Amino acid sequence: NKNTRLNNCAPDATYHMIDDPGMLKQMDDRWTQLTSDVEDSKEYQGFWEHEFLKHGTCCEGHDTEEAYFKLAMRLKDRFDLLTILRASGIIPGNYYSIDSIQKAIKGVTRAVPNLYCNPDPNNPRM
């Protein structure tokens, strides 16, 4: 309830790589790094590092990598976006207005999602 974006709250933070095999499997199953193969994603963890440093450092009470990612996975399991969209008739491969997508997500989560279009698939936003 701070009415500001919570990004990069600790600019000097460092990322501590996850080395627990069980946690790595859960992360890869639920929060796959699509820009690298499975072995590289587990070894280098670039995407997860980015997400933790940008968002996890702002997550009060979940300020370790493991605590933040466990919370993120619980939220993902609770609010499965593909299921939410499908329930509103929104399926991959078709075109929909941003308003219809926001309405579908807000109807379940009670929050307006921050959506944007990526015009350059060769340079995805993180």
Side-chain angles (χ1 to χ4, degrees):
N1 294 329
K2 295 184 182 196
N3 291 329
T4 61
R5 286 186 181 244
L6 295 176
N7 293 330
N8 304 309
C9 293
D12 297 328
T14 57
Y15 178 76
H16 301 96
M17 295 196 31
I18 297 167
D19 57 5
D20 173 13
M23 181 73 172
L24 286 172
K25 174 153 180 26
Q26 288 181 49
M27 291 288 293
D28 193 55
D29 288 348
R30 288 194 178 105
W31 206 345
T32 304
Q33 298 188 63
L34 299 175
T35 58
S36 59
D37 65 38
V38 173
E39 292 309 313
D40 281 349
S41 68
K42 290 178 181 177
E43 184 174 348
Y44 301 110
Q45 302 180 16
F47 174 64
W48 298 332
E49 176 182 14
H50 166 81
E51 292 299 308
F52 178 76
L53 293 176
K54 184 171 183 177
H55 305 293
T57 56
C58 301
C59 193
E60 193 172 299
H62 296 86
D63 54 355
T64 67
E65 291 80 359
E66 186 172 337
Y68 170 70
F69 288 125
K70 282 183 177 180
L71 173 64
M73 289 187 288
R74 282 195 308 273
L75 289 171
K76 182 187 181 305
D77 291 346
R78 182 175 171 194
F79 298 113
D80 182 343
L81 288 179
L82 287 177
T83 300
I84 290 169
L85 294 173
R86 283 188 187 115
S88 293
I90 298 171
I91 55 172
N94 294 310
Y95 294 92
Y96 303 93
S97 69
I98 289 178
D99 185 56
S100 65
I101 294 170
Q102 285 180 326
K103 184 177 177 183
I105 294 170
K106 185 179 179 187
V108 174
T109 66
R110 296 190 309 244
V112 177
N114 180 15
L115 302 176
Y116 63 89
C117 295
N118 184 14
D120 183 359
N122 295 320
N123 188 17
R125 289 178 52 181
M126 290 171 100

